[in-house]
Amino acid sequence: MTRSKEQNRGTPAASQSRHYHELAKARIAGGVNSNVRLSSAPVCFASGKGSRLTDVDGNVYIDYALGMGPTILGHAPPAVTAEVSRTLALGQLFAGQHTLELELANQFCACVRSAELVRFGLSGSEMVQAAIRVARAFTGRPEVIKFEGHYHGWFDNILINMSPPVAAEGNPIPRPRHLQSGGQSAHASDDFTVLPWNDAGAIDQYVGANASRVAAIITEPIMFNTGGILPKPGYLEHLRRVTKEHGIVLIFDEVITGFRVALGGAQELYDITPDLSVFAKALGAGFPVAALAGRRDIMEMFASGGVNHSGTYNANLVSLSAALASVRELSANDQAAYKRINCVGKALMEGIAAAGRRRGVDLQVSGLPSAFHTCFATRPIHDYATYSSANQKKLGLFLSALLESGVRPTSRGTWFVSATHTDEDVALTLDAVEQGLQRIL
Ligand SMILES: Cc1ncc(COP(=O)(O)O)c(C=O)c1O
């Protein structure tokens, strides 16, 4: 692979991508099919292989967006595409069962410590809804606690306080509810309460007074959607203790962390067993598959408790075979994929932070080697307020400079690492970071 910097010819304004974007806008709302992409540079990609993407102008990028996290084995991973191709000839969808379902369920439950029973679906958003529904049915309580800055999908009830204004003086608990979309029902989130994350006192204060109403607490175990913020030591344990004490269902949203930060997700990394957890993204290596898993007595409610979880395309053969191959690859050779990911990610995190220090820039790098976040802020990022203090304009200029050098983190400054990123990728990336920082000084 030649040096991506030399191949690029001035992204993202390159002519074919621009042309495509103009045509697409005339036929597809905004020219994109997910609103998250509205904030990305309008690059039209032709193909991806391993750690690299090629756009329609022939520019090559070292990709750290990885489809917003899923393609942990790189683009078009041979073991996964071969398995999917093999099952294509068997049919796609039977409105009935297939042996691959049980095979994947067994493999999944062997990886995920909290998984006694599992259901498969297609997206994180919908499985979060299933988790909330079954938690309410199980407890007979209405209320769900979510945290400021956490994202759990785009559905009306839970698309709140992902990026709210920073809490006013006095840090009210709970936070005022902040809707995040035009057309969103204000009432859908009536039973949701928003608290600051990583704040054991806020949990004690709110749950202490309202426990009998609270069905569930849902949390990203690592706050990857806002600043790559790690849980404070003891915080997840505190959530586990309080929820157990009050009969509240603890839901880990492992859509990003699952099969990424460890084979068994953040629950393995932090040695915590939630009651329910939601998986998607890295589970399917780029194919649409998601899972809700957890305690047998709660998950049984889908079988005998009258709780509905449905979906025409659930457990279709493409999704099942992709997930099976993906989990197999991630487990292979004593989990060599994670060793590679962590080694590359560590070199990137350290190299990027060192470049910032060398240039005297207020560049902050937070998270874990498998997924981390970069932003420009005078203080380390440890909560929603510090994240919100980051200089978005500077980040935008830095990301544009990186893209022009052929390096592509997400448009929010998150970097996902795959098992196919090479030492050469790291060296080229750190070169691009140096140049990018020089450009914004
Ligand atoms: C933590 C988390 N939960 C849920 C979702 C929603 O998943 P999906 O986009 O598959 O619906 C996302 C998506 O980025 C996420 O990051």
Side-chain angles (χ1 to χ4, degrees):
M1 183 76 67
T2 47
R3 200 181 159 99
S4 56
K5 185 166 76 80
E6 289 164 2
Q7 287 196 340
N8 285 2
R9 295 187 292 270
T11 54
S15 57
Q16 291 305 314
S17 269
R18 280 258 166 239
H19 181 59
Y20 168 82
H21 191 58
E22 290 311 312
L23 291 179
K25 277 198 296 189
R27 197 50 91 190
I28 302 168
V32 301
N33 282 298
S34 171
N35 270 36
V36 176
R37 298 174 201 162
L38 285 171
S39 57
S40 301
V43 182
C44 179
F45 294 101
S47 64
K49 187 71 196 149
S51 62
R52 308 286 177 111
L53 287 176
T54 304
D55 72 14
V56 289
D57 290 287
N59 297 306
V60 178
Y61 306 81
I62 303 170
D63 186 31
Y64 296 103
L66 297 184
M68 297 306 277
T71 57
I72 189 164
L73 295 168
H75 295 283
V80 179
T81 53
E83 186 67 21
V84 170
S85 306
R86 193 183 66 77
T87 55
L88 279 178
L90 302 178
Q92 282 71 51
L93 203 56
F94 306 128
Q97 283 55 254
H98 188 278
T99 55
L100 282 182
E101 281 168 279
L102 180 56
E103 205 179 319
L104 178 61
N106 283 333
Q107 205 175 67
F108 179 96
C109 292
C111 297
V112 176
R113 61 190 296 163
S114 66
E116 293 173 356
L117 286 180
V118 62
R119 273 285 179 96
F120 295 114
L122 293 177
S123 72
S125 296
E126 56 169 313
M127 296 317 261
V128 162
Q129 296 300 315
I132 289 168
R133 181 179 282 175
V134 78
R136 284 187 173 132
F138 184 75
T139 56
R141 303 173 185 172
E143 194 172 318
V144 174
I145 293 174
K146 84 165 287 271
F147 295 101
E148 191 177 41
H150 289 213
Y151 178 68
H152 302 291
W154 63 281
F155 292 176
D156 266 15
N157 55 358
I158 205 157
L159 188 64
I160 52 174
N161 295 67
M162 205 238 145
S163 49
V166 175
E169 277 300 297
N171 285 331
I173 289 172
R175 298 291 197 238
R177 268 201 300 272
H178 178 81
L179 302 184
Q180 298 277 180
S181 170
Q184 192 175 359
S185 158
H187 297 300
S189 54
D190 277 352
D191 283 333
F192 278 74
T193 294
V194 181
L195 296 181
W197 192 66
N198 244 347
D199 182 343
I203 287 289
D204 292 344
Q205 182 181 331
Y206 188 80
V207 173
N210 300 280
S212 62
R213 285 180 44 78
V214 180
I217 295 181
I218 183 165
T219 183
E220 291 185 56
I222 300 169
M223 195 157 145
F224 272 128
N225 274 298
T226 304
I229 303 171
L230 303 180
K232 283 183 186 160
Y235 179 69
L236 294 178
E237 289 82 350
H238 188 74
L239 285 184
R240 180 62 285 186
R241 215 168 23 249
V242 170
T243 47
K244 203 167 248 172
E245 191 181 319
H246 292 286
I248 296 168
V249 176
L250 178 61
I251 305 171
F252 272 13
D253 180 345
E254 296 236 36
V255 166
I256 289 181
T257 53
F259 295 89
R260 169 161 288 284
V261 300
L263 186 65
Q267 53 197 274
E268 175 188 319
L269 199 68
Y270 291 108
D271 195 18
I272 307 275
T273 304
D275 298 307
L276 295 175
S277 35
V278 178
F279 295 78
K281 299 208 188 237
L283 170 62
F287 288 84
V289 60
L292 168 62
R295 267 169 54 181
R296 183 174 297 276
D297 54 349
I298 304 178
M299 292 293 293
E300 277 291 356
M301 301 287 291
F302 289 121
S304 55
V307 179
N308 189 312
H309 161 243
S310 303
T312 301
Y313 295 103
N314 290 354
N316 67 84
L317 260 61
V318 165
S319 299
L320 292 172
S321 56
L324 261 171
S326 169
V327 177
R328 211 179 288 138
E329 278 296 289
L330 289 169
S331 312
N333 303 322
D334 200 19
Q335 301 184 21
Y338 291 102
K339 293 190 181 95
R340 176 80 209 144
I341 288 168
N342 287 329
C343 174
V344 165
K346 186 166 178 285
L348 286 168
M349 285 181 87
E350 288 175 358
I352 294 170
R357 281 195 300 275
R358 260 195 311 279
R359 304 236 164 235
V361 189
D362 55 353
L363 177 60
Q364 305 289 342
V365 184
S366 50
L368 293 173
S370 58
F372 59 89
H373 188 81
T374 47
C375 68
F376 295 89
T378 50
R379 295 171 287 165
I381 304 301
H382 57 80
D383 60 13
Y384 183 71
T386 43
Y387 172 79
S388 302
S389 73
N391 186 328
Q392 292 301 329
K393 186 160 174 242
K394 220 163 166 183
L395 178 67
L397 291 171
F398 178 56
L399 295 175
S400 296
L402 288 180
L403 198 64
E404 283 180 28
S405 300
V407 170
R408 181 180 183 249
T410 75
S411 59
R412 304 186 68 218
T414 306
W415 303 60
F416 293 106
V417 179
S418 81
T420 55
H421 282 101
T422 62
D423 294 346
E424 187 200 13
D425 290 336
V426 174
L428 291 171
T429 300
L430 294 180
D431 272 0
V433 166
E434 289 280 356
Q435 289 164 29
L437 291 178
Q438 202 168 359
R439 286 261 299 272
I440 62 166
L441 278 176

